[in-house]
Amino acid sequence: PLGDVARRCFACVQVDGVVATRLAQGQRVPLDALSHEGVTAVLGPDGELVALVANRAGVAAPQTVFA
């Protein structure tokens, strides 16, 4: 599963269903859990990969969406 690959390759954060849906729709979402400026993998509540995001001053900006 892509969630397992993402855990090995990127910093990861897990989000609830509401945030996962917003990111899957390409929306930018404020996300305090982003701790660095690189690419972060965002996992949904089921542990599956939702998106790779860039940290834009604490806002998750989807770069690639998988959900």
Side-chain angles (χ1 to χ4, degrees):
L2 286 177
D4 292 340
V5 174
R7 283 183 195 85
R8 289 192 298 269
C9 298
F10 297 98
C12 293
V13 295
Q14 194 157 7
V15 297
D16 64 26
V18 173
V19 173
T21 297
R22 290 182 61 197
L23 289 170
Q25 294 171 345
Q27 298 176 25
R28 293 177 178 222
V29 178
L31 201 57
D32 293 334
L34 296 176
S35 60
H36 70 285
E37 292 298 318
V39 173
T40 300
V42 178
L43 307 173
D46 59 358
E48 288 300 315
L49 181 61
V50 175
L52 296 177
V53 301
N55 181 357
R56 304 278 189 249
V59 175
Q63 303 300 293
T64 305
V65 175
F66 296 89

